[in-house]
Amino acid sequence: MTTTPQAVRRASPRIRPPAKKPTKAPAREQAATDPSAALLPHAEPVRLLDPDGTPRPARADYPEPPVEALREMYRRMVVGRRFDAQATALTKQGRLAVYPSSRGQEACQVGAVLAVGHNDWVFPTYRESMALVSRGIDPVEVLTLLRGDWHCGYDPARVRTAPQCTPLATQCVHAAGLAYGEAHQGRDTVALAFIGDGATSEGDFHEGVNFAAVFKAPVVFFVQNNKYAISVPLSRQTAAPSLAYKGVGYGVPSEQVDGNDPVAVLAVLTRAVAHARAGNGPYLVEAHTYRMEPHTNADDATRYRDGAEVDTWRDRDPIARLETYLRTRGALDDAAVAAIAAQAEGYAADLRERMHVQPEVDPLSLFDHVYATPTPQLVEQRELVRAELAAAGEGEG
Amino acid sequence: MVATTMAKALNAALADALADDERVLVFGEDVGKLGGVFRITDGLQARFGEKRCFDTPLAEAGIVGFAVGLAMSGLRPVVEMQFDAFAYPAFEQIASHVAKLRNRTRGALSVPMVIRVPYAGGIGGVEHHCDSSEAYYAHTPGLKVVTPATVADAYSLLREAIADPDPVVFLEPKKLYFSSAEADLPAATEPFGRAVVRRPGTDATLVAYGPAVPVALDAAEAAREEGWDLEVVDVRTIVPLDDATITASVRRTGRCVVISEAQGFAGVGAEIAARVQERCFHALHAPVLRVSGLDIPYPAPMLEHTHLPGVDRVLDTVARLQWDDRPDARWLPQGSAA
Ligand SMILES: Cc1ncc(C[n+]2csc(CCOP(=O)(O)OP(=O)(O)O)c2C)c(N)n1
Ligand SMILES: [Mg+2]
C-alpha cells in the first residue's frame, strides 16, 4: 500500500473549471510541481444553489445528488428543525438541563448523516442532536444526556454512533482509530467526525487529522463553521483563509462548502465519503454556516453579536432554499410540503409526550458500570449507599 | 458591609489586580466580551482593554503554555479554564512545565501565574462539567492549590495568588459562585498556608475545603440536636497545607472527620486524614474518618445528590466516632463480636 501524495492525487482527481481559477491561489497554478495543489480547497465555498434557491451551473467535480435524495433531505431537515424547536421548548419547561440548538445548521446536520451509511460510524459533538435523530436514533435516547438521567441514552455499538462528545476535538482522534481499526479488520467502514470551528484550535483536531492521514484511515472530518465558539468569533481561532486550509499541512485533501446550501453539502460530503471509502485516506470539509440560536439556552448571545448579523443569515435559510429549488424542479408541491410539516408536528408531539414522563432513576445504578466487575471498595460503597437510602426512606415514611 | 456574591468578589479581585499591576494579563476562552461563562471576568475587557483581558484560540494546552512564555517574559498571566474537565488538555503544560520550571532551573526561572478553574458539582451540570480535580494538582509538587469557601476569601486568596511568586491553581467551587455574604472589599483575610476555624466546637473536628465547607457547617448545626458540639476547620489552601491549625483543633477535640466533595480514593481527604493520624495519634479517641463523594465518574444530574456528601452522610460518620468507646463494627473482621 502506498501513501504518497501522488497516489492521493490519482485517486482523487480534482476537476476544476479553468474559468473559475481564482487569482489568489498561486498553488493551483503550480499544480504540475506543487503537491499541495491537489489538496487545497477551492478559494470560494462550493455552492450549487444560490440563497434564493436558483441553481448554479452544474459542475463535474460535484455532481448534483439525485432529486429523490434531495427530497428526503428536505423532509429530514423539516423534521429536524421541528425536533430542535421542541427540544428548546422542553428546556424552557425544565425537562432538559440544557440544550445546544443547531437551528440554521440543518443542511449540515442532515447532509452529513445522509452521506454515510448505517454501517459507517458517526462521531458527533453535543451540537449534533438533530443529526442523530436524523440518523434514526430515538429522540428520547438522544436527549437522555441533556435530560440528565444518564450520560448516553443510546447504544453506540448498535447505532454505530459514538456518545455525543463534549471535551472538544477529542472525538477526532477516536474517529481516526475507529476507521483504521475497521480497515485493519477488512471492513470498509467510513468514520464521520463532526467538529466545530472553535474546536479546530485544539491539539486533538490536528492529531486526529494527522493520524488519519498517516494511517490512511477512512475518516471524513466535517467542520461546521458556524462562526462562533460560544462568544468567540472565528477570527480568534485562525489566521488561515479558511479552516479547510488546515488539511494541506497534513496531506489531506480538503474542501469548503456553503453550509446553508443543502445540495452542495450533500454533493461535497458524498464525494468525501466516496474518497475515504475507496481507500484514499481522510478528507476534510469545512461548511460555512451559522448558529441561529445562542450557544445553548443558558447563553446570552446579545452580549457578543447583533441582531442584524443574525438577520443576514435568516435570509440564507437552508430549508427555504431547498424548498424553492425542489418546487421549481416539480419535486415538491403544497400538498407534499403540508404532509411533511404534519409529519414533523407528529414527531414533535410524540417526543413532547414521552419527555413529559419523569424517568425512573435507580441511585444504586451509579455503581453498575464503573468497571466490568466492581472493585471490593465499590461493593462496600454500594452497601453504604443502600443503607443511606434505606435510612432516608424510613425518615420520610 | 454589603452583601456580595463570590462571583462578584472574584471579579473585583481581578479588576483590582489589573489596576494595581500592569504586568497582570487575564485571558482564556470567552473571558473578553462575554465576561466568562460564569461572568467572573465581566466588564474587565471594557475597562482595561483588549491587551489586558482577551479571548484566546480555543485550546487549553495553548493557553497555559502561552502563559508559561508570558511569565518567562516577566508578565503575570491569570488564565481561566472554562470548566474543571476542560483543563485536562493543559495538564501536560501544568505538570511538566508550570510546576517544574523553578526546580529544573535551580530557581533561575520561575513562572508565577494563576490558573483559575471553576470546579466540582452541585449545579446539575452534564458530564465533564462537575469534576473535582484538586487531587491531580495537589499531587504535583511545585503547584500551590487554593480553594475559597467564603466571599471574603475568594477576594483575598485570589489577590494573594496573583501576587504569589509561584504558580497557583485556583479552584473555584462553582456551586458557591452565587452564594452571597456580607463582605467589605477589598478584603484581607488570613494568608496562604493558614487554615481557619470557621466554627468552634469541643466534641469533634470536621475538616473541609471548598464546596464541602458549607456542608460541614450545616452538619455542625444539625449535630447540635444530637448533642454534639462540632468544630469546623476550613483548609483554604490545600497546598501549602496548614497542619498546625488542623492538628491543634483535633488535639482539642480528640475526634476528626475529613470531608471532601471529591471521590475519596487517593484524594486530598485521604492525605489530611493520614497526617492527622500521624500527628495526633495519642490525642485521638477514634480513628480519623472520611466523608467523600463516591468513587465513580461524576454522575448525571438526576443522580448527583446521591453522589454528593451531604449533612446525613456527615452525621452518620460522626456517629461512628466511638462515642461509647467501643470499636467501629464496620471494621471488625466478620464474625467477631462487637
Ligand atoms: C476541551 C474543552 N474546552 C472547553 C469546552 C467548553 N466549550 C463547550 S462548547 C465550546 C465552544 C465550541 O465552539 P465550536 O467548536 O465552534 O462548536 P459550536 O459550539 O459552535 O458548535 C466551548 C469553549 C469544552 N467543551 N471542551
Ligand atoms: Mg462554532
Side-chain angles (χ1 to χ4, degrees):
Chain A
M1 201 158 85
T2 161
T3 54
T4 60
Q6 285 80 358
V8 171
R9 255 214 311 280
R10 228 180 303 116
S12 173
R14 316 274 290 181
I15 303 149
R16 306 229 141 103
K20 282 211 171 141
K21 201 181 274 181
T23 46
K24 271 177 71 186
R28 213 160 291 144
E29 269 142 36
Q30 302 161 10
T33 51
D34 181 354
S36 69
L39 305 175
L40 283 169
H42 284 93
E44 291 298 320
V46 175
R47 181 183 275 180
L48 298 178
L49 283 188
D50 277 329
D52 65 0
T54 314
R56 291 272 180 107
R59 45 195 291 175
D61 52 352
Y62 295 111
E64 187 179 310
V67 72
E68 311 80 66
L70 294 176
R71 222 185 101 115
E72 174 61 7
M73 187 171 185
Y74 171 78
R75 188 189 70 77
R76 291 202 203 187
M77 286 165 66
V78 171
V79 175
R81 177 172 291 180
R82 187 64 191 85
F83 159 82
D84 189 81
Q86 187 58 55
T88 297
L90 285 165
T91 312
K92 291 191 179 123
Q93 295 154 19
R95 288 280 165 195
L96 298 179
V98 64
Y99 181 71
S101 166
S102 51
R103 187 183 180 87
Q105 301 178 214
E106 290 85 356
C108 297
Q109 296 276 314
V110 172
V113 300
L114 276 177
V116 294
H118 278 285
N119 273 330
D120 292 326
W121 266 81
V122 171
F123 288 79
T125 79
Y126 51 87
R127 182 75 60 208
E128 269 70 63
S129 296
M130 189 194 294
L132 298 194
V133 301
S134 186
R135 187 162 162 79
I137 305 178
D138 184 285
V140 173
E141 292 183 9
V142 170
L143 294 178
T144 297
L145 166 71
L146 304 170
R147 178 166 66 178
D149 43 315
W150 201 263
H151 307 297
C152 180
Y154 50 87
D155 173 353
R158 190 176 62 79
V159 296
R160 295 176 82 80
T161 302
Q164 282 180 279
C165 187
T166 299
L168 295 169
T170 53
Q171 73 279 7
C172 292
V173 211
H174 307 161
L178 183 288
Y180 182 71
E182 291 284 291
H184 182 76
Q185 295 168 85
R187 299 191 281 265
D188 72 344
T189 313
V190 170
L192 169 72
F194 284 94
I195 181 167
D197 49 304
T200 63
S201 297
E202 291 277 7
D204 277 6
F205 166 70
H206 299 266
E207 297 181 24
V209 175
N210 191 42
F211 266 66
V214 166
F215 289 104
K216 237 183 167 193
V219 186
V220 174
F221 295 97
F222 183 43
V223 184
Q224 285 171 90
N225 171 2
N226 62 8
K227 306 297 178 285
Y228 288 93
I230 310 186
S231 71
V232 181
L234 184 68
S235 56
R236 262 294 136 118
Q237 304 300 346
T238 187
S242 143
L243 292 171
Y245 280 73
K246 302 213 171 196
V248 63
Y250 301 107
V252 174
S254 308
E255 188 56 279
Q256 51 176 334
V257 60
D258 178 343
N260 283 23
D261 173 354
V263 180
V265 169
L266 187 56
V268 168
L269 285 173
T270 298
R271 175 173 170 158
V273 170
H275 169 95
R277 197 175 321 275
N280 303 308
Y283 208 96
L284 172 67
V285 177
E286 176 196 22
H288 296 269
T289 183
Y290 195 77
R291 192 193 78 209
M292 297 301 289
E293 296 286 324
H295 174 68
T296 68
N297 55 292
D299 176 38
D300 175 8
T302 63
R303 288 176 81 104
Y304 54 84
R305 66 183 193 188
D306 59 29
E309 180 185 298
V310 183
D311 287 340
T312 323
W313 284 89
R314 231 178 281 288
D315 298 338
R316 303 178 200 168
D317 184 65
I319 296 184
R321 196 186 296 200
L322 184 55
E323 184 180 324
T324 307
Y325 176 62
L326 288 174
R327 280 178 185 270
T328 22
R329 288 281 307 267
L332 209 57
D333 57 15
D334 287 348
V337 167
I340 290 169
Q343 202 183 85
E345 277 314 313
Y347 188 89
D350 178 60
L351 174 61
R352 205 159 48 230
E353 197 173 307
R354 292 172 62 208
M355 289 297 287
H356 279 304
V357 181
Q358 185 66 15
E360 292 276 321
V361 286
D362 174 8
L364 291 177
S365 70
L366 286 175
F367 298 95
D368 284 354
H369 303 290
V370 184
Y371 299 94
T373 313
T375 59
Q377 288 74 23
L378 276 184
V379 172
E380 194 179 286
Q381 265 179 23
R382 189 174 201 276
E383 286 317 301
L384 291 179
V385 170
R386 188 199 296 283
E388 278 183 11
L389 295 169
E394 277 164 28
E396 281 157 24
Chain B
M1 290 222 271
V2 287
T4 187
T5 61
M6 184 180 281
K8 290 220 167 78
L10 292 165
N11 179 263
L14 291 172
D16 292 352
L18 282 160
D20 288 357
D21 183 349
E22 63 184 16
R23 296 172 307 159
V24 173
L25 302 182
V26 172
F27 57 95
E29 295 159 7
D30 300 289
V31 300
K33 241 187 201 172
L34 187 66
V37 294
F38 292 105
R39 306 290 186 263
I40 306 302
T41 57
D42 194 18
L44 298 182
Q45 185 175 72
R47 181 168 161 202
F48 296 98
E50 290 185 26
K51 291 204 158 149
R52 305 288 308 285
C53 175
F54 53 90
D55 291 327
T56 63
L58 210 176
E60 295 76 12
I63 292 168
V64 175
F66 198 59
V68 168
L70 290 168
M72 286 166 64
S73 87
L75 294 165
R76 286 274 168 153
V78 179
V79 305
E80 176 173 300
M81 300 282 103
Q82 199 160 79
F83 282 85
D84 31 65
F86 306 146
Y88 299 150
F91 197 73
E92 180 182 30
Q93 288 291 342
I94 296 174
S96 297
H97 297 292
V98 175
K100 290 180 179 164
L101 259 167
R102 177 188 296 285
N103 182 260
R104 288 168 61 214
T105 62
R106 300 177 200 254
L109 279 183
S110 62
V111 285
M113 70 172 71
V114 178
I115 302 171
R116 296 182 35 246
V117 189
Y119 87 122
I123 57 160
V126 295
E127 57 175 357
H128 312 296
H129 291 79
C130 298
D131 281 13
S132 286
S133 37
E134 67 270 24
Y136 308 138
Y137 303 114
H139 199 62
T140 304
L143 302 175
K144 291 188 175 171
V145 183
V146 178
T147 179
T150 70
V151 172
D153 260 2
Y155 180 93
S156 183
L157 289 174
L158 184 52
R159 289 302 304 270
E160 209 184 334
I162 296 169
D164 200 272
D166 280 309
V168 178
V169 176
F170 194 88
L171 300 169
E172 302 169 1
K174 56 179 102 70
K175 78 165 188 197
L176 302 183
Y177 268 151
F178 303 105
S179 66
S180 95
E182 305 267 302
D184 271 332
L185 301 182
T189 59
E190 295 76 6
F192 266 30
R194 197 77 65 73
V196 163
V197 174
R198 291 273 172 235
R199 174 198 166 105
T202 53
D203 294 339
T205 300
L206 304 180
V207 183
Y209 58 87
V213 172
V215 176
L217 289 168
D218 289 349
E221 196 52 36
R224 285 169 48 180
E225 275 180 37
E226 318 266 336
W228 293 312
D229 179 20
L230 304 182
E231 180 147 306
V232 174
V233 176
D234 175 357
V235 173
R236 302 171 75 247
T237 60
I238 296 172
V239 180
L241 186 70
D242 183 0
D243 283 317
T245 298
I246 296 169
T247 52
S249 169
V250 176
R251 286 208 184 94
R252 273 196 308 275
T253 61
R255 289 179 167 84
C256 178
V257 173
V258 185
I259 310 169
S260 66
E261 178 181 310
Q263 59 278 22
F265 196 87
V268 169
E271 176 65 27
I272 295 173
R275 303 176 79 83
V276 169
Q277 179 273 135
E278 284 166 351
R279 286 162 177 73
C280 305
F281 185 72
H282 292 288
L284 286 168
H285 304 304
V288 180
L289 297 181
R290 283 174 288 155
V291 176
S292 69
L294 308 172
D295 289 306
I296 59 171
Y298 197 91
M302 286 187 191
L303 287 161
E304 79 175 346
H305 60 277
T306 306
H307 167 72
L308 294 172
V311 167
D312 286 344
R313 197 174 290 165
V314 175
L315 292 183
D316 286 352
T317 309
V318 170
R320 289 172 38 227
L321 288 172
Q322 308 194 7
W323 300 96
D324 54 5
D325 253 353
R326 268 190 289 175
D328 187 341
R330 185 178 298 167
W331 309 134
L332 291 176
Q334 287 203 335
S336 59

